[in-house]
Amino acid sequence: QVQLVGSGGGLVQAGGSLRLSCAASVRTFSNYAMAWFRQAPGKEREFVANINWSGDTTYYADSVKGRFTISRDNAKNRVYLQMNSLKPEDTAVYYCAAKSRKPSTIADEYNYWGQGTQVTVSS
């Protein structure tokens, strides 16, 4: 079993930055690919970024490419999402997720989810 706790959300002005963190309670964190998804009010949950077990392979949604960076620290059982040049359309609840084996962009393939952290970007 994997328990995930996300943190780091908040209110920021457009153009600002935030760093989300997700702490995993699991025996072998490096067994899991990790991802961030987000869900805005009235919209479906959408993929943001993922990272493989070792951290050397990442993938981003086109909407965040060049602005967001996903990373992980297997020694600390944590995954991060550095968000720069934030836009009002980035406003959403952000969720970290874990799955075994290879990373994916499909939410249904992730077995474990954090509780979500709110990010609000004002214009």
Side-chain angles (χ1 to χ4, degrees), residues 2-5 22-26 29 34 76-79 98:
V2 182
Q3 292 186 320
L4 303 174
V5 179
C22 178
S25 296
V26 63
F29 182 58
M34 301 296 297
K76 295 182 178 180
N77 283 18
R78 285 185 177 264
V79 63

Side-chain angles (χ1 to χ4, degrees), residues 1-8 19-27 29 34-36 71-81 95-98 112-117:
Q1 295 296 320
V2 182
Q3 292 186 320
L4 303 174
V5 179
S7 62
R19 189 194 195 202
L20 305 185
S21 178
C22 178
S25 296
V26 63
R27 193 170 193 174
F29 182 58
M34 301 296 297
W36 288 94
S71 62
R72 67 189 295 161
D73 185 337
N74 287 344
K76 295 182 178 180
N77 283 18
R78 285 185 177 264
V79 63
Y80 305 97
L81 185 68
Y95 299 89
C96 58
Y112 306 101
W113 291 84
Q115 85 286 6
T117 184

